[in-house]
Amino acid sequence: MSGELNTVPKGVAGPSTWLDDRLGGANFLKRNLRKIFPDHWSFLLGEIALYSFVILLLTGTFLTLWFNPSMTEVVYNGPYAPLKGVMMSEAYASALEISFEVRGGLLMRQMHHWAALLFVAGMTVHMLRVFFTGAYRKPREINWLIGVLLLSLALVEGLTGYSLPDDLLSGAGLRITEGVAISLPLVGTYITFFLFGGEYPGTDIIPRFYSLHILLIPGILLALISAHMVLMWVQKHTQMPGKSRTNTNVVGAPFYPAFMAKAGAYFLFTLGVIAGLATVAQINPIWLFGPYTPADISAGSQPDWYMGFLEGSLRIMPPWEWNLFGTAHAGTLPLSVIIPALVPLGIVMTGLALYPFLEQWVTGDKREHHVADRPRNNPHRTSIGMSGITFYGLLWLLGANDEIAANFHISLNWTTYIGRVLIFVGPALAYLITYRVCLGLQRSDAAVISHGVESGVIKRLPHGEFIEVHTPPADDIEAHMRGKQPVLMHPVREDAAGIPPKGMRGPLGKLRARMSRAYGGEKIPLDEGHGHGEDEHAAIGSGGDDDRSLTH
């Protein structure tokens, strides 16, 4: 068996020899093609985003061949009869041409849109996996920051691409963008004039967004994704706790052929899903919306899902504004626009970026971590994450409060009032519930370690009591549970002179000590189980006619 493992496959040896004869790169190729990757289904979540990005590049290249990013007005004479003779921009006319006249154009448009949605969704779910398992800890903080930046840029990329067709729906979103930009104090008017090239809507916004969408932002995304992959390759992938898995090894399969075969199949699967959605699920039918004019608006308009939380924050925000020096002429701060536009996004993105460093400051944990946590084993982190999801989810849901009110026959005002309360109460409840659930799951693990798992065998004790015999858990399950490590805490004890340790002095140090005690430590030790003991079970079934067993 060991000989088979040490034999280099022909598929590796051949290219390695060829490159070595010409570039001297055999050792590099052999080493990297045989690099071991851990195997867990959740590690494929990030690949969804990667493959969606590849599909975005391919379909976007196709669309650029026909799209005309111009706001020059033309009269439509294409095959779509309801819009014949209507004045529209060349951008909108070319989008209609792609949809109705270019062979495969509508399929490519819809694949591009579905891939964009899946790209952001894949990044979001991947980031949640990394957060809940603590895979952002040392030495991966830089890669985590790259991920946060990638997600932020993906939102901007989606906004610019969403606006390009210049239809009524995308124009409504563009109008909100203009309102947010111009509401910024001091710099708002300058940013708006720079972005739109003058008064809204102007004639420059579509060409400028087009340049951002196909050149600048994709270039930055490609560079960041490359850096993200290189760092992951160098630092190794984290692995889930389990048998023989430690911080000093990697248990899994080699990059070639196992991981490459799996990745290739998964790319084709992702491509198939996106193509299937583009074929059978209509998305963004711009011909139904008509061309954008600033005087028109449609009811029930919704942005793409990743912008829904900003829409919700706008809808539930009270109409607050500050008139400086008591008069609107001296300057007005429209808080009803500034707060929804900046605060929720700032809380989410800034919180994500700072969390690894805040956790390190609270716990004092500066060790390297190559084994991921189970979410239940760090209940405070998991609870914070669920609070963030609840905060985001409520805002996202409230972005459709008009649809909720119309379909469920609820007052629109009441959906707004309830939303204003839930946005504060919901995350707090999510924190408390998640924390209790995590502790309950830890107790369940402790019971399995202490007393084993249910065997399905019922035994009767001499005095008439029926119990179920427990058996020790399987080795891999037990190793998975025993991978639990207590969350590190700062040393907070005072010395003999009553002086707290360095870093724990003063108001900030005392706060840090209290947070460390609450956040860290072992909440439920693994040897803290409940139920029948193993010795009691072992004594059963050893003798007597009174011992009866039933199996089910």
Side-chain angles (χ1 to χ4, degrees):
M1 189 70 175
S2 59
E4 295 178 3
L5 292 176
N6 292 327
T7 301
V8 179
K10 293 182 179 179
V12 176
S16 301
T17 303
W18 191 89
L19 284 177
D20 190 48
D21 292 341
R22 292 156 179 82
L23 304 174
N27 290 331
F28 173 82
L29 193 61
K30 288 178 183 178
R31 183 175 67 253
N32 286 282
L33 287 179
R34 300 300 290 171
K35 188 178 182 69
I36 301 299
F37 276 79
D39 188 15
H40 193 268
W41 67 268
S42 65
F43 299 155
L44 296 175
L45 296 174
E47 293 186 36
I48 296 176
L50 177 62
Y51 301 149
S52 298
F53 182 71
V54 173
I55 295 169
L56 278 171
L57 293 179
L58 296 175
T59 55
T61 301
F62 178 92
L63 295 175
T64 58
L65 300 178
W66 283 277
F67 183 72
N68 184 1
S70 171
M71 297 187 75
T72 302
E73 288 195 339
V74 296
V75 177
Y76 181 71
N77 289 310
Y80 187 64
L83 291 177
K84 276 187 178 292
V86 175
M87 294 291 294
M88 61 182 63
S89 67
E90 288 187 342
Y92 185 63
S94 64
L96 291 176
E97 179 187 2
I98 292 172
S99 301
F100 294 118
E101 300 178 67
V102 176
R103 179 167 294 182
L106 181 58
L107 178 65
M108 290 295 107
R109 267 198 64 236
Q110 300 209 144
M111 283 186 66
H112 193 72
H113 203 130
W114 277 115
L117 299 184
L118 198 60
F119 176 53
V120 182
M123 276 198 295
T124 303
V125 178
H126 173 63
M127 182 167 282
L128 289 175
R129 197 276 303 174
V130 172
F131 178 84
F132 283 120
T133 60
Y136 53 77
R137 293 172 294 179
K138 184 181 177 180
R140 297 176 179 83
E141 301 97 331
I142 296 176
N143 229 5
W144 172 259
L145 293 176
I146 291 175
V148 174
L149 187 55
L150 278 170
L151 183 58
S152 303
L153 284 173
L155 298 181
V156 180
E157 176 76 345
L159 173 65
T160 56
Y162 183 80
S163 305
L164 291 182
D166 200 31
D167 60 285
L168 186 58
L169 184 61
S170 66
L174 197 59
R175 182 62 167 174
I176 295 175
T177 303
E178 186 264 348
V180 170
I182 204 169
S183 69
L184 299 175
L186 301 179
V187 298
T189 53
Y190 297 98
I191 290 176
T192 305
F193 271 65
F194 174 79
L195 191 62
F196 290 91
E199 293 286 350
Y200 175 87
T203 58
D204 297 334
I205 186 62
I206 297 299
R208 290 180 178 182
F209 268 20
Y210 184 71
S211 299
L212 292 173
H213 185 73
I214 72 165
L215 291 175
L216 182 60
I217 301 177
I220 298 173
L221 285 173
L222 189 59
L224 290 175
I225 290 173
S226 300
H228 191 76
M229 300 298 293
V230 168
L231 280 174
M232 184 273 294
W233 190 277
V234 171
Q235 295 173 342
K236 300 186 304 181
H237 204 296
T238 56
Q239 57 186 345
M240 298 301 290
K243 191 174 182 179
S244 304
R245 296 173 185 177
T246 67
N247 273 318
T248 58
N249 71 351
V250 180
V251 178
F255 178 72
Y256 178 86
F259 188 81
M260 286 181 65
K262 185 186 298 183
Y266 204 58
F267 171 76
L268 294 177
F269 177 77
T270 305
L271 176 62
V273 169
I274 290 175
L277 286 170
T279 303
V280 303
Q282 179 175 270
I283 189 170
N284 199 24
I286 57 172
W287 53 89
L288 298 180
F289 307 141
Y292 175 65
T293 58
D296 295 335
I297 193 65
S298 59
S301 58
Q302 300 291 330
D304 282 336
W305 73 267
Y306 48 84
M307 287 295 181
F309 76 108
L310 294 177
E311 177 84 6
S313 63
L314 276 170
R315 294 191 182 203
I316 66 171
M317 182 67 192
W320 293 348
E321 66 177 32
W322 284 350
N323 292 318
L324 302 181
F325 308 109
T327 172
H329 298 290
T332 299
L333 289 178
L335 300 180
S336 57
V337 177
I338 295 175
I339 291 177
L342 301 182
V343 172
L345 194 61
I347 290 174
V348 173
M349 294 303 178
T350 305
L352 287 172
L354 295 180
Y355 195 86
F357 308 100
L358 292 174
E359 184 181 68
Q360 190 178 103
W361 180 77
V362 169
T363 62
D365 189 355
K366 297 184 179 180
R367 303 170 297 178
E368 287 196 1
H369 294 272
H370 301 291
V371 178
D373 286 339
R374 299 175 75 197
R376 67 186 66 182
N377 292 335
N378 194 320
H380 283 290
R381 178 206 295 147
T382 304
S383 301
I384 291 170
M386 288 305 300
S387 294
I389 292 174
T390 303
F391 176 75
Y392 175 93
L394 285 171
L395 288 178
W396 175 82
L397 184 65
L398 291 166
N401 67 340
D402 55 341
E403 297 287 347
I404 294 173
N407 287 282
F408 293 95
H409 306 290
I410 304 171
S411 167
L412 180 62
N413 288 336
W414 273 110
T415 63
T416 304
Y417 300 147
I418 293 172
R420 290 172 182 172
V421 175
L422 284 179
I423 201 61
F424 295 101
V425 175
L429 285 176
Y431 187 98
L432 294 174
I433 293 171
T434 304
Y435 187 79
R436 301 310 304 176
V437 168
C438 288
L439 293 186
L441 292 173
Q442 286 192 39
R443 289 192 181 95
S444 176
D445 289 346
V448 170
I449 293 296
S450 299
H451 310 302
V453 296
E454 299 171 349
S455 65
V457 177
I458 306 299
K459 291 209 176 256
R460 183 181 178 184
L461 299 180
H463 57 276
E465 179 186 2
F466 287 92
I467 63 169
E468 183 174 10
V469 174
H470 286 60
T471 59
D475 290 344
D476 56 340
I477 294 177
E478 182 175 0
H480 188 55
M481 293 180 178
R482 289 195 179 278
K484 175 184 180 183
Q485 295 291 331
V487 182
L488 204 63
M489 286 195 310
H490 270 293
V492 295
R493 292 182 179 178
E494 299 177 351
D495 59 16
I499 301 174
K502 187 178 180 180
M504 298 296 160
R505 304 165 191 170
L508 185 60
K510 292 178 180 178
L511 174 63
R512 187 181 186 186
R514 286 195 294 268
M515 293 175 67
S516 184
R517 283 193 298 266
Y519 190 91
E522 182 68 277
K523 308 303 179 186
I524 307 293
L526 279 178
D527 57 358
E528 183 181 304
H530 301 283
H532 299 284
E534 292 180 358
D535 293 339
E536 182 181 15
H537 289 182
I540 300 170
S542 59
D545 296 334
D546 290 332
D547 179 23
R548 313 284 169 84
S549 66
L550 303 171
T551 59
H552 64 277

